[in-house]
Amino acid sequence: MKSRWLRDIFIVLIVLCFAGVGIYYGVPALQPCARLAQILPLGLLPPNPNVADLTFEPLPNARAITGEYACAGYRIEVPDSWNGDLVVYAHGFRAGAVTDLFVTDLPVRDEAIHQGFAWAASTYRANGYNPLDGIEDTRLMIEQFKQRVGVPKRIFIYGSSMGGHAVVGSLEKYPDLYAGGVAECGAVGGAGQFDDLIAANTLADYFAGTDLFAPENKGLQAQLALVKTKLYPALGAPPDFHFDENAIFGNNDPAPQVTLTPKGKAFRNALIYVGGGHRPFAEEGFGGAYALTVLAPRAIYGLLPGLLAVGTTTDMQYQIDAGFGVDATALNAGVPRIPADPVMRAKYAFTGHIKVPLLTIHDTGDLFVPISNERVLRRLMNAAGNGNHLVQRAVRRFLHCDFSIQERNRAFNDLIAWVNTGIKPEGEDLLGPLDDVGKKWTEPLRPDDPGHP
């Protein structure tokens, strides 16, 4: 009897083992390796089935290295005349529904290799809004670099969008690891980025007569239906417009046109104030970011409602210009106030304790990760007594993460010079009015820029 019982247990274990393997390799949407990483030691993790092809062609006089560790794939490129320094890249948000984990190359790759810098970039262990994974997976990748190439003399970190959160978070969490950082179009406000997204959507709900947080709107499908059947008809449909934030380098295409209802125009005006107030290309930026700004937070709430609890609008002061049928007093009284979960907020909040040079660039018209993030970071670092370690610059364009290679190279080279010489480069004050910022740092100005002489 006992032997039959042991045999049955053994059969069940075998079946469970095969079932587990089948799920692991057959259902990549579950991002199984990232889930295993929560319970298993990193050295025991199996290869991640979500990691896409990592191979790439190295630049002339450089060599390519690829690999995987702790569920994340990575690329490394080392010039033959390596100067001993390493630049690591933290990529931006990728929708959790996308199963492939792929590497985005360093935006200043050519410039870095030309100057003798090695670079490395990670896929992270999973897709989604996961800057905390970005911080840790980038650090683990550095350890792999040390084993496969050598110990760098200095390490710099460069990040885009969500990767900007990873930059600031890395400099705060590992102050002795990095010599400096660059963040472009970054969520450098940390938890403040969630505040802006919630503010944008509660404003949309206010004007449309909808409610993101109503019990009947729980779940992704309910949120998508709410947007399609109620919110868009009330405010105006977004343009059929798509862009890849990793593939724009000084875009001069016309801004997408959007036809708004009177309520939609009021929403746009109030949203521009949430993002930092009137500034070059803010209205054009609305067309480019409208759908993303509305859909991304609602998708997060539909799939991972706890993550949206990072943000709060409790202290948000809304503004709106005259002529839209509502004033600021009515707006502040009528828009719902959403509290944050203190535990969740603490995970994504910054302290301002950064002791090495940090240079940021931000598109003026970006309404998805608005320039108000820069104000949050500036106030935090000033309050912590570290304002002298921060240089901020605006770039006059309307798309999220739209920078020319000249602008990117200039930011990178100015950071390196700052670290090498100790001489702080020039920036600009982004706490004051933003009506005419960014002329000095935009290379070139768009043909339709109102700042042309």
Side-chain angles (χ1 to χ4, degrees):
M1 190 71 173
K2 184 177 181 181
S3 61
R4 173 184 276 183
W5 179 77
L6 290 173
R7 184 197 66 189
D8 291 345
I9 291 292
F10 179 73
I11 291 173
V12 169
L13 290 174
I14 292 294
V15 170
L16 288 175
C17 181
F18 276 101
V21 171
I23 292 172
Y24 188 84
Y25 287 102
V27 192
L30 295 177
Q31 303 193 90
C33 195
R35 296 176 184 272
L36 278 181
Q38 298 173 5
I39 57 175
L40 288 181
L42 298 181
L44 296 181
L45 291 169
N48 190 342
N50 293 64
V51 173
D53 183 15
L54 298 169
T55 59
F56 69 107
E57 187 70 26
L59 294 175
N61 303 311
R63 58 191 173 106
I65 301 171
T66 60
E68 181 185 328
Y69 181 73
C71 298
Y74 59 84
R75 285 178 177 175
I76 294 171
E77 189 170 24
V78 185
D80 295 340
S81 54
W82 181 36
N83 66 12
D85 291 338
L86 169 66
V87 184
V88 293
Y89 179 58
H91 72 68
F93 170 75
R94 291 171 186 162
V98 177
T99 58
D100 283 352
L101 303 179
F102 56 92
V103 171
T104 298
D105 294 341
L106 176 71
V108 291
R109 174 191 178 192
D110 287 37
E111 184 74 6
I113 292 294
H114 176 73
Q115 294 190 37
F117 291 89
W119 68 269
S122 170
T123 64
Y124 309 161
R125 66 192 65 185
N127 289 331
Y129 195 87
N130 56 343
L132 306 185
D133 287 346
I135 293 169
E136 293 308 314
D137 292 338
T138 299
R139 181 186 62 84
L140 292 170
M141 178 183 65
I142 290 170
E143 294 306 310
Q144 292 299 298
F145 182 94
K146 291 177 180 178
Q147 293 181 27
R148 301 192 65 178
V149 179
V151 178
K153 292 187 299 184
R154 299 179 303 184
I155 304 172
F156 301 89
I157 183 167
Y158 190 118
S160 306
S161 192
M162 182 185 76
H165 182 121
V167 168
V168 176
S170 295
L171 297 182
E172 288 193 355
K173 188 172 184 179
Y174 299 109
D176 299 323
L177 182 60
Y178 298 100
V182 172
E184 61 172 37
C185 52
V188 294
Q193 168 64 10
F194 285 88
D195 298 345
D196 288 341
L197 288 176
I198 293 176
N201 281 269
T202 51
L203 272 172
D205 284 337
Y206 172 83
F207 288 109
T210 52
D211 185 359
L212 160 65
F213 298 104
E216 65 269 21
N217 294 326
K218 286 187 177 180
L220 179 60
Q221 293 306 314
Q223 287 295 329
L224 295 178
L226 175 69
V227 170
K228 183 177 180 179
T229 63
K230 294 183 178 180
L231 193 143
Y232 285 161
L235 304 180
D240 184 13
F241 175 73
H242 305 280
F243 70 96
D244 179 358
E245 69 184 47
N246 299 306
I248 46 178
F249 293 88
N251 175 64
N252 282 325
D253 293 342
Q257 298 300 306
V258 54
T259 302
L260 298 174
T261 68
K263 289 181 178 180
K265 292 176 181 177
F267 166 57
R268 177 176 62 189
N269 185 264
L271 182 58
I272 286 172
Y273 275 108
V274 168
H278 289 294
R279 53 205 188 272
F281 295 108
E283 287 205 358
E284 292 85 350
F286 179 87
Y290 179 19
L292 194 57
T293 301
V294 167
L295 290 174
R298 292 168 192 265
I300 290 173
Y301 183 69
L303 296 170
L304 298 168
L307 182 56
L308 210 59
V310 170
T312 178
T313 59
T314 300
D315 299 320
M316 183 72 68
Q317 291 300 306
Y318 297 102
Q319 300 179 65
I320 192 167
D321 291 327
F324 290 101
V326 63
D327 61 16
T329 300
L331 208 56
N332 281 290
V335 179
R337 300 295 173 167
I338 308 300
D341 179 319
V343 175
M344 285 296 295
R345 189 171 182 84
K347 292 180 181 180
Y348 291 84
F350 296 141
T351 65
H353 294 295
I354 293 178
K355 300 295 186 181
V356 296
L358 171 61
L359 195 153
T360 68
I361 56 175
H362 218 110
D363 296 296
T364 54
D366 187 350
L367 262 69
F368 182 55
V369 182
I371 203 167
S372 52
N373 274 269
E374 301 288 347
R375 290 177 165 177
V376 174
L377 178 63
R378 168 57 71 187
R379 291 186 180 111
L380 283 172
M381 291 188 64
N382 285 353
N386 296 316
N388 61 315
H389 296 302
L390 177 63
V391 168
Q392 297 173 298
R393 296 170 178 174
V395 173
R396 299 163 69 98
R397 292 202 186 86
F398 67 85
L399 284 178
H400 178 51
C401 299
D402 185 9
F403 305 100
S404 69
I405 194 61
Q406 300 99 304
E407 292 153 1
R408 288 178 159 123
N409 286 346
R410 184 178 188 178
F412 173 70
N413 288 326
D414 284 355
L415 173 79
I416 300 301
W418 185 6
V419 173
N420 286 341
T421 67
I423 300 174
K424 185 178 179 180
E426 187 180 355
E428 58 190 323
D429 178 16
L430 300 183
L431 290 178
L434 302 177
D435 305 72
D436 204 32
V437 295
K439 285 182 180 176
K440 187 167 184 176
W441 316 113
T442 307
E443 303 177 69
L445 291 175
R446 284 176 55 95
D448 56 350
D449 192 300
H452 278 292

